[in-house]
Amino acid sequence: MEPVRKIEEGLKELYDSNVGKVERQPDVDIYDLGDSVVIYIDMPGVKKEGIKVRVYDRSVEVTASPSQQEAQGKPIRRERISNFPVSRKIELPFRLRVDSARAVYRDGVLQVVVGKAGEYGVAELKID
């Protein structure tokens, strides 16, 4: 068991020494509402002012800066998402109406709602 413990301690030390440098990907839920899509992104502890949302024609990208926490003492373990830069690009299988996008941040969850602009692909047309 000793080699496993040494590996765990080494990984913990590497992790702790890179807090603030390593990006984290937040968890997401995506719902198709027919004419729009809703994306819920978990970002607990992140300040609204530090969040940036970009909507592209087929994806949504979310980034956030780490929150500076006022804490006393030397950290022993830092795992909360708010301690890390956050970045996630969500690819979608349809085009988005960029002008219809809106975002709301409440209770640690970012909600992004974007209208769908239509499907990419080939259409075979019936000739009248």
Side-chain angles (χ1 to χ4, degrees):
M1 223 28 166
E2 186 63 30
V4 172
R5 185 172 306 160
K6 285 183 180 180
I7 291 171
E8 287 176 344
E9 289 172 3
L11 288 172
K12 182 186 177 311
E13 183 179 322
L14 178 65
Y15 181 82
D16 289 343
S17 66
N18 284 296
V19 168
K21 300 174 191 169
V22 177
E23 285 187 351
R24 299 268 307 264
Q25 283 196 349
D27 294 329
V28 301
D29 287 341
I30 304 169
Y31 296 92
D32 186 343
L33 302 180
D35 61 345
S36 63
V37 64
V38 178
I39 304 169
Y40 296 98
I41 306 158
D42 288 342
M43 302 181 81
V46 176
K47 295 199 184 306
K48 180 172 103 171
E49 299 77 24
I51 301 172
K52 292 195 184 324
V53 180
R54 291 185 179 90
V55 179
Y56 300 94
D57 65 337
R58 289 189 55 150
S59 63
V60 175
E61 181 179 44
V62 177
T63 58
S65 304
S67 300
Q68 299 299 323
Q69 301 290 328
E70 299 285 328
Q72 303 256 334
K74 180 182 176 189
I76 294 172
R77 186 172 209 135
R78 297 182 63 186
E79 295 180 359
R80 297 180 337 168
I81 199 165
S82 61
N83 294 322
F84 297 87
V86 174
S87 180
R88 180 98 189 234
K89 188 167 187 177
I90 302 153
E91 301 285 338
L92 297 164
F94 37 76
R95 293 182 305 143
L96 301 172
R97 293 186 51 221
V98 176
D99 60 338
S100 74
R102 63 188 190 282
V104 176
Y105 183 64
R106 190 175 309 129
D107 298 328
V109 178
L110 178 67
Q111 177 184 5
V112 180
V113 180
V114 186
K116 291 166 47 176
E119 301 286 334
Y120 275 120
V122 177
E124 187 172 323
L125 302 178
K126 179 182 175 189
I127 301 173
D128 292 328

